[in-house]
Amino acid sequence: RSQPEMQEVGRHEMVERTASMAISDSSDSEAEANIDSEHVGAAGMGRAGRQGEWAEELPWDFGELDPEEDGLHTNELADTHRRSDEAGVNDWVYTERMMYMPHTYFVNDHRQGFREDEELREVQTPDALWLAEQDARYKMRRELFPQLSDDVFIFANFNQLYKIDPTLFRLWLRILERVPNAIIWLLRFPAAGEEHLHRVATEWAGPDVARRVVFTDVAPKHMHIKRGRIADAFLDTTECNAHTTAVDILWSGTPVLTWPRHEHKLCSRVAASVVCATGQGRAMVVSSADEYVDRAVEWATQARHEYTYDRPSALVPAILEPDVRTGYVKHRICHGPTMDIRLQLFMARDQSRLFDTHRWTRNLERGFAEAWRRWVTGEDEADDNDVECVGHELVAEDCALDKQSRRKAQWSRRIELRIADGLATATREQRTVYAPRGGSIWILDEDDGMPAQTWVREMLGW
């Protein structure tokens, strides 16, 4: 057979082998129990590629299957092999010594590169500027979606379509089922994905829901950022988050709903890091599939709008055209949770840590300087195991947690105590960089003094 055919056969055999192990009982032979963990992971990928075959044979709904669990929770032995390399290890996240930025690792140039409304900002009061932004949203919405009524809530995702996995797409369809006056706006990125996703949406949720999965063409960069304001909320992809796209959307003022789904995958935690840097992380980050759906539904169902009318002012640039008969301009004023977040994002974006490139650069340079100093003095040759490790001991609250959550709690306490001990004796200059001997470098912001242990606790909690 050809090589692709042999790979297909091998993958299918692996899927069958894992299925047999997942449903076996404790009387299985030791040889079967000691299946290699790499085979387990590869088999999960194989099953993901055969939704139709497994849907008929297995009792669960594949559309809701979490790849972190992948059905292996039915067998305790399989779970042991799936993460045998982490068992009993508290510092399992990375083997390298890391350099942690104080707000987000993600750097961007939006505050310098996308200032289309700068002239408008110079002549507006804050209230007038916020009204002008809502007028600009309303105008672009009517231009791009003239068929939509004003009460339709627009969810959006502008990522490449390969980031949409079956589990996530099912969540989106659940949201549309619960919010009849909502659409989800996607890009033809690539165009071939439109027909496929419409077909799957029809099969899974029916034609009425499938019609509310709306596609448009990809826009040039500057227009992509400007029209991002049209969406009422951005639904992030959870397997691989929006990266630059998330920053684009936040710069336009649109809230991003994200779920850092996998603790081991940086690409599924990027958007959480980005939205936390805006100061609105608690409103936009969730911790489970159900919370993801419920938060989106809450945003859409609590959204409302009203209309106000006035005559155009000669002192304010006109955005909406006045009615030819009355001479009045009709303003669509929106309210609800997403508008509360949008107001904070839009009005404070020039002060946001996410868009402060100079601050990000200064912080990184201090981290580089500390890394160089440690290398020159030989301090970095100390092994992490030689450093006094605190926070490992069990506390009463840990006993009720599963193994994975218990490790996470212990790791969080270890970091918090290390930082607290270091800061207790540090000078003012030393407080800008916390670097325990042989450990990672924690860069503390030079101006706002944000407690490092606060954001560590929140991020690990998610």
Side-chain angles (χ1 to χ4, degrees), residues 28-129:
D28 288 340
S29 67
E30 182 177 354
E32 287 180 315
N34 289 330
I35 183 172
D36 187 276
S37 60
E38 292 182 1
H39 290 177
V40 174
M45 295 295 291
R47 184 169 68 202
R50 289 176 176 75
Q51 175 187 341
E53 298 175 19
W54 283 84
E56 298 178 358
E57 300 175 12
L58 299 180
W60 55 69
D61 179 4
F62 171 79
E64 303 295 342
L65 192 62
D66 187 343
E68 282 284 333
E69 299 176 0
D70 206 22
L72 296 181
H73 59 280
T74 58
N75 186 285
E76 183 177 354
L77 179 62
D79 182 73
T80 301
H81 285 285
R82 179 162 60 94
R83 288 183 173 164
S84 60
D85 59 323
E86 302 163 13
V89 179
N90 287 291
D91 51 355
W92 47 264
V93 182
Y94 297 107
T95 58
E96 300 89 346
R97 296 182 179 92
M98 306 300 292
M99 186 182 296
Y100 292 96
M101 299 292 286
H103 304 295
T104 179
Y105 89 96
F106 205 91
V107 63
N108 66 86
D109 193 40
H110 285 63
R111 198 167 78 178
Q112 289 76 35
F114 301 98
R115 308 299 311 197
E116 290 87 349
D117 59 351
E118 190 63 36
E119 181 180 2
L120 188 65
R121 284 175 175 267
E122 292 177 355
V123 298
Q124 300 285 330
T125 65
D127 289 342
L129 175 60

Side-chain angles (χ1 to χ4, degrees), residues 179-221:
V179 188
N181 66 324
I183 67 169
I184 184 164
W185 169 21
L186 306 177
L187 300 182
R188 299 183 180 101
F189 199 12
E194 179 178 4
E195 179 182 355
H196 171 69
L197 289 177
H198 271 148
R199 174 173 52 80
V200 173
T202 302
E203 294 174 357
W204 288 2
D208 180 62
V209 171
R211 279 192 293 268
R212 289 186 281 128
V213 180
V214 179
F215 288 81
T216 65
D217 291 331
V218 178
K221 180 69 172 181

